[in-house]
């Protein structure tokens, strides 16, 4: 738990928002529309979230968050 929490703590407030939307399996386009940012910026934030949390995909992100909530 501590490692996962430490990784999540590295996220910026915007990356936290993006992570929550990614966890809902939202597309980059939907994330961009929801947050009022460009699709490219949404893609960048998604990449940052994956990099900082050390996951390669949304399913891996969901697994990580599921382990965190146990």
């Amino acid at each position: 738990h501590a490692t996962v929490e430490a990784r999540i703590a590295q996220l910026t407030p915007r990356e936290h928002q993006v992570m929550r939307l990614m966890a809902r399996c939202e597309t980059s386009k939907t994330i961009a529309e929801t947050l009022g940012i460009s699709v490219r910026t949404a893609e960048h934030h998604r990449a940052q979230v994956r990099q900082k949390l050390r996951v390669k995909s949304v399913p891996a992100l969901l697994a990580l968050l599921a382990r965190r909530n146990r």
Side-chain angles (χ1 to χ4, degrees):
H1 283 304
T3 305
V4 174
E5 292 302 323
R7 289 184 204 165
I8 290 173
Q10 293 177 352
L11 299 177
T12 66
R14 178 64 88 185
E15 290 167 350
H16 275 279
Q17 290 176 314
V18 171
M19 179 188 70
R20 285 192 292 275
L21 292 168
M22 288 172 69
R24 291 180 12 201
C25 297
E26 300 291 352
T27 64
S28 292
K29 182 179 177 183
T30 304
I31 291 170
E33 290 171 359
T34 301
L35 300 178
I37 58 178
S38 74
V39 174
R40 180 66 189 111
T41 300
E43 291 169 351
H44 173 76
H45 287 310
R46 287 172 62 110
Q48 288 297 110
V49 168
R50 286 192 307 271
Q51 180 182 16
K52 288 181 180 181
L53 297 183
R54 299 181 197 153
V55 296
K56 294 186 190 265
S57 63
V58 172
L61 171 67
L62 295 174
L64 179 82
L65 295 176
R67 286 194 307 269
R68 172 187 181 211
N69 293 327
R70 284 188 205 167

